[in-house]
Amino acid sequence: MNYSVLPDLLAIGGLVVVFVLLLWRADQKRLRFWAFGWILILVHFIAELPPRSTGAFTNVADAVAVSALLLSSVAFVWAGEFLPTAKGRGRLTGLAAAIPDVALCTAFACGSTSVPLFAALTVIGAAVSLPLYCRARREGDIAQRYLPAAFLVIAYGAQLVLIASGRIVPAFIWLLCWHFLAAAIAFRLGSARTTVGVIFTTISFVAWALVFPVAWAVGNWLPDAHVAAGVWNLPKYLVATGLLVTLLEEQMLKFEHASLHDALTGIPNRRMLLGALDRAAYHAARGEPFTLMILDLDLFKEINDRLGHVFGDKLLEKVARRLRGVLRQNDVLARIGGDEFAVLLTGISDRAAVKAVVEKIDAALDRPFVIEEHEYQVGVSAGYALSPGEGVDTAALYALADQRMYEAKQSGRKVPRSADAAGG
């Protein structure tokens, strides 16, 4: 038995347990592929356990080990959303695309050096993989759409050149190398944000890919250099660490987003508004104006009581979308209460300009809302405070805008009417 792989076997086994438990807690497609990838790495080390000698058993063990390693990179590529949307058929197609590369690894492990066989498998692999992975990235920016195709053309092209020149071993080493480079590209393109974890994991995948040519070069050109096996396996654990850090970062970002945004409408909440208001007040003290506006939907409680909270929630979502539609990109719209909204207008402190915004808001909300075949109209009462003209103290400005909103509401609110309710 090759007991030297036992530490790696135990470590990878622990990683498999971790990713399976994470998958059990949150069933995500990406996590499923990550867990599958680490299971394949575990299979790779299990296949490395038997003692090496000559014979068919050794060839089979080597073929399983190298094929599992290659397929793990394919699983990591799949995790980067590089499969067609069809679930079952997409996975089978993706698996079929890996068959030529697995066949090449198997042939190499069994001692074949047939140039025509390896060349044919390379051409078939390119012909199957290119349409699959290019079709999976029709949307997105230029890098997302064309980088995978360009990379595959270069990867298979270099592999074919090496095989055609009779360099079978370098071609095999390059095959393993470019598969993990593809995993690095897929992970980076599949990540919505550029975080420390994403950068670290991408670099670790690249390091994993470089292990194959570097280890081969050291073995050939520096035969007296004895590098511990743990050094070559280190990038695997760096990738695992990076994946876990990326998951942690994503959870932190979700918690941060949830703490700053309204759960119903998705727009900023009171906490985020107050932070933006403090920053606006800081700049207002240096001459940059802003206006704080408080909006209250007229008779919203009556709407909720008569039609129910589900209807009221849908109405609030539609109101938020319409309000966002009439505001500028740099204005802040927040939901600060049940039926209360606030608007932070940056760069505006002129009453005429603010009144024009109020008229836009009133006109937007005056159009009927259609919810579950109900046509409904709502009114809005607005109050605002100007800064720096009326001060820069955020609490005082908020209180002033709120007071003016209530004064507007008391002076004559716009009574909502329902076309469905009119008939009883």
Side-chain angles (χ1 to χ4, degrees):
M1 297 292 287
N2 182 14
Y3 294 107
S4 63
V5 302
L6 279 178
D8 292 304
L9 191 63
L10 293 174
I12 297 298
L15 284 174
V16 168
V17 172
V18 168
F19 279 96
V20 169
L21 289 176
L22 288 173
L23 181 60
W24 179 67
R25 294 292 300 272
D27 188 8
Q28 301 175 5
K29 183 172 73 172
R30 183 181 56 174
L31 266 176
R32 289 199 295 271
F33 288 133
W34 286 354
F36 182 49
W38 291 113
I39 289 172
L40 289 168
I41 296 296
L42 183 63
V43 172
H44 163 77
F45 279 111
I46 292 174
E48 291 284 342
L49 268 176
R52 289 303 188 260
S53 60
T54 58
F57 179 79
T58 297
N59 290 340
V60 170
D62 287 341
V64 170
V66 72
S67 297
L69 188 61
L70 182 136
L71 286 174
S72 70
S73 70
V74 175
F76 292 130
V77 170
W78 290 352
E81 302 292 336
F82 275 79
L83 276 181
T85 53
K87 292 183 179 178
R89 194 173 70 178
R91 293 175 189 173
L92 289 176
T93 306
L95 188 60
I99 289 176
D101 295 332
V102 172
L104 193 153
C105 290
T106 302
F108 181 83
C110 292
S112 173
T113 57
S114 171
V115 171
L117 173 63
F118 287 173
L121 289 173
T122 299
V123 171
I124 294 172
V128 177
S129 297
L130 271 168
L132 173 69
Y133 291 106
C134 294
R135 185 170 67 249
R137 281 283 171 171
R138 289 185 210 174
E139 299 179 357
D141 57 22
I142 293 178
Q144 289 183 324
R145 283 183 287 158
Y146 298 115
L147 182 58
F151 177 81
L152 285 175
V153 168
I154 293 172
Y156 277 112
Q159 184 175 310
L160 188 60
V161 168
L162 289 171
I163 291 172
S165 62
R167 301 175 183 177
I168 302 299
V169 175
F172 170 72
I173 296 299
W174 169 242
L175 173 67
L176 294 176
C177 176
W178 76 252
H179 268 79
F180 283 94
L181 287 177
I185 294 173
F187 180 80
R188 180 62 192 88
L189 292 181
S191 301
R193 297 172 181 266
T194 303
T195 63
V196 173
V198 168
I199 296 173
F200 181 83
T201 307
T202 303
I203 294 174
S204 298
F205 268 123
V206 173
W208 194 345
L210 294 177
V211 160
F212 302 104
V214 171
W216 176 76
V218 169
N220 281 273
W221 300 332
L222 299 172
D224 296 329
H226 298 287
V227 181
V231 174
W232 306 121
N233 289 325
L234 180 60
K236 296 181 178 67
Y237 305 114
L238 294 179
V239 167
T241 302
L243 295 178
L244 294 174
V245 170
T246 301
L247 289 175
L248 178 61
E249 287 176 332
E250 290 176 355
Q251 289 301 313
M252 292 173 64
L253 289 171
K254 286 181 181 178
F255 291 146
E256 182 182 7
H257 184 273
S259 69
L260 295 174
H261 291 79
D262 177 54
L264 175 64
T265 62
I267 64 175
N269 58 16
R270 182 189 295 269
R271 180 184 175 189
M272 188 170 179
L273 171 71
L274 293 178
L277 188 57
D278 286 337
R279 291 190 294 272
Y282 173 83
H283 292 293
R286 287 152 181 78
E288 298 180 27
F290 73 91
T291 296
L292 174 65
M293 185 184 301
I294 305 294
L295 306 174
D296 186 88
L297 301 183
D298 293 332
L299 296 180
F300 182 76
K301 184 179 183 300
E302 287 80 350
I303 298 173
N304 254 355
D305 292 343
R306 181 153 50 84
L307 296 175
H309 292 286
V310 173
F311 180 90
D313 287 347
K314 292 180 179 179
L315 180 59
L316 285 173
E317 291 181 74
K318 289 180 175 288
V319 166
R321 282 198 292 270
R322 283 204 190 168
L323 289 175
R324 184 66 267 174
V326 300
L327 298 173
R328 299 169 302 170
Q329 189 68 30
N330 58 337
D331 294 331
V332 178
L333 170 67
R335 184 184 175 206
I336 56 177
D339 61 345
E340 281 193 346
F341 295 84
V343 179
L344 183 62
L345 302 170
T346 57
I348 295 178
S349 63
D350 178 76
R351 292 185 187 275
V354 175
K355 287 181 180 179
V357 175
V358 174
E359 290 174 359
K360 286 184 181 180
I361 291 173
D362 190 64
L365 299 186
D366 192 54
R367 300 196 309 272
F369 291 90
V370 179
I371 305 174
E372 296 178 359
E373 300 182 356
H374 292 265
E375 189 175 273
Y376 212 85
Q377 288 181 294
V378 296
V380 64
S381 299
Y384 53 86
L386 311 175
S387 182
E390 294 178 318
V392 293
D393 181 82
T394 56
L397 290 168
Y398 193 101
L400 179 60
D402 200 47
Q403 177 188 344
R404 287 174 175 170
M405 182 273 294
Y406 277 107
E407 290 174 357
K409 182 177 286 289
Q410 293 301 321
S411 66
R413 65 178 110 199
K414 180 176 180 180
V415 180
R417 63 186 183 278
S418 168
D420 299 287

